[in-house]
Amino acid sequence: MAVPKMKVSRARGRKRRTHYKLTLPAIVACPKCKEMKLAHHVCKLCGTYNGVQVLPLDEDKKA
Ligand SMILES: [Zn+2]
């Protein structure tokens, strides 16, 4: 129900909005190539997941 803004204290209004915060994506270093990648995702640079080669290596990306 609508309540006039001036009738709600600053603390009460702010307490209601504590869960509207952005969270950073889980980024970890790839164990093989040390590139930063999303956790629980295949590494885009070397194509490995959990130490297993799952994607073919691109010729232009080989280091
Ligand atoms: Zn990698």
Side-chain angles (χ1 to χ4, degrees), residues 30 32-35 43 45-48:
C30 171
K32 195 184 173 195
C33 64
K34 311 300 177 198
E35 179 81 4
C43 176
L45 199 83
C46 62
T48 57

Side-chain angles (χ1 to χ4, degrees), residues 2 9 12 18 23 28-29 39 41-42 44 50-52 55-56:
S9 71
R12 205 180 166 99
T18 56
T23 52
V28 294
H41 285 249
V42 173
K44 279 180 188 166
N50 203 16
V52 181
L55 293 174

